[in-house]
Amino acid sequence: MTAVTTPAAVRRPHLTRWVLRLHRPELVAWAGLVLLGAALLLWLGGPLTDAAADGWRQYNACDWSDKCSYDQDAILRYKDAYNYLTLPLAALPLLVGAWAGAALTGRELESGTAQLAWAQGVTPARWLATRLALPAVAVTAGTSLLVFLHHRAWSAARGRIGTAKSWWDPWTFHTNGPSTVALALAALAVGALAGLTLRRALPALAVSLVATAGVWGLAQWLMPHLWPAVTRVTGLKHGYDGLYSGITVDQGLVTRTGEHIPEPVCSAHTTEECLRMFEKRNAVGFFHTYHPYAHYGPLQLTTSALALALAGLFTVAAFLVLRRLTGALRPGKGATA
């Protein structure tokens, strides 16, 4: 007695294999990019960091009474390598969004490959779900590995290299945590939506790039306001020197009534003249509202949650656009592909 295989059971693995075979070059390129990035980040967090740290120890040991030598080249190599690896990793969502718009959906609709799949019994919803799920797994795995190695490299240099980037540097902040992974997933959904809406590869690529950059900028703009900040106050004579560093949310003057007001522009030639001007405005000190390093984890989680929420909204919008598109393409609707 033989088992009966339903058509749906036959089609489901076929669709997955078809998607993998169709996008095999991109998958191979992505795997190669991740492996290359991982190797470079291991190099950055290992030999380059150790050499630069030795250079900084030599520099700090100098008394400058005599000619002092230190390994400046090692310090500069680390600085350049860090920037060259951090900026592309921060921009990785742009690459994901551009590919999703141009190749994942836009090219398939433009060439008629999607319509061919639908005609062979693959439902549009499952077609889109498969195209989003498989890249999402690859993007999550690859980006998570790179983010982990970047944070490892940054941590190895913290406190050892004088020119190491601070945790609140915008590029460092995102590439050190899960927000880059979440932004890449949001870019994937943005690209899929752009491809379904425009149905042409090149316009979808351009729109995906602009929209992904907008999502990245929105996340960065909202990030300081997603978690309660702390406020520190000092007297006028101490200026901002007694305050703490981190992600600044607001700063200015504190009046006698406790009101926080913006610091007025002072064009005086001396600090004392500026302080007298501030006192005429009833100012008694400075305030600084900011996020310290202890807020790094909460800020990462809230920013990632925001990006994932946007990814969910874009995904729902993509399915709605697909439903409208396939409804218009049905016979008797008066529309053509």
Side-chain angles (χ1 to χ4, degrees), residues 277-292:
M277 186 189 76
F278 295 159
E279 289 174 350
K280 290 180 181 179
R281 293 177 179 252
N282 293 322
V284 294
F286 293 96
F287 77 91
H288 185 197
T289 302
Y290 74 109
H291 290 287

Side-chain angles (χ1 to χ4, degrees), residues 27-37:
L27 182 61
V28 172
W30 173 251
L33 180 65
V34 170
L35 291 176
L36 176 61

Side-chain angles (χ1 to χ4, degrees), residues 52 55-56 59 70-80 163:
W56 273 102
Y59 177 85
Y70 63 97
D71 195 350
Q72 185 180 28
D73 292 338
I75 296 174
L76 295 177
R77 276 195 302 270
Y78 170 85
K79 182 179 179 181
D80 291 340
T163 52

Side-chain angles (χ1 to χ4, degrees), residues 188-205:
L188 178 65
V190 165
L193 176 60
L196 289 169
T197 303
L198 300 174
R199 286 178 276 173
R200 289 191 296 164
L202 288 180
L205 184 151

Side-chain angles (χ1 to χ4, degrees), residues 143-337:
T143 309
S144 297
L145 175 62
L146 295 178
V147 164
F148 168 77
L149 293 177
H150 186 278
H151 187 275
R152 177 178 175 273
W154 176 82
S155 299
R158 189 182 179 205
R160 301 171 62 198
I161 298 177
T163 52
K165 292 291 185 179
S166 301
W167 70 271
W168 65 83
D169 173 75
W171 311 114
T172 297
F173 175 88
H174 289 288
T175 52
N176 268 355
S179 61
T180 292
V181 182
L183 287 169
L185 292 175
L188 178 65
V190 165
L193 176 60
L196 289 169
T197 303
L198 300 174
R199 286 178 276 173
R200 289 191 296 164
L202 288 180
L205 184 151
V207 170
S208 298
L209 281 174
V210 174
T212 301
V215 170
W216 203 103
L218 177 66
Q220 176 62 21
W221 179 58
L222 292 177
M223 178 265 293
H225 309 285
L226 297 177
W227 192 260
V230 298
T231 300
R232 296 288 184 266
V233 177
T234 59
L236 283 179
K237 293 185 178 181
H238 293 88
Y240 289 106
D241 295 338
L243 302 181
Y244 295 83
S245 58
I247 299 177
T248 297
V249 178
D250 193 15
Q251 63 183 24
L253 298 177
V254 181
T255 65
R256 298 182 187 279
T257 60
E259 182 184 3
H260 291 182
I261 62 174
E263 180 182 347
V265 177
C266 180
S267 56
H269 296 290
T270 65
T271 302
E272 292 298 326
E273 291 176 322
C274 287
L275 293 179
R276 284 195 293 269
M277 186 189 76
F278 295 159
E279 289 174 350
K280 290 180 181 179
R281 293 177 179 252
N282 293 322
V284 294
F286 293 96
F287 77 91
H288 185 197
T289 302
Y290 74 109
H291 290 287
Y293 181 65
H295 289 189
Y296 173 76
L299 287 173
Q300 272 287 346
L301 293 178
T302 51
T303 305
S304 300
L306 171 65
L308 291 177
L310 292 175
L313 290 176
F314 290 129
T315 301
V316 171
F319 276 98
L320 292 176
V321 170
L322 178 65
R323 181 179 179 181
R324 186 180 62 181
L325 172 64
T326 54
L329 293 177
R330 289 173 186 168
K333 295 292 184 180
T336 57

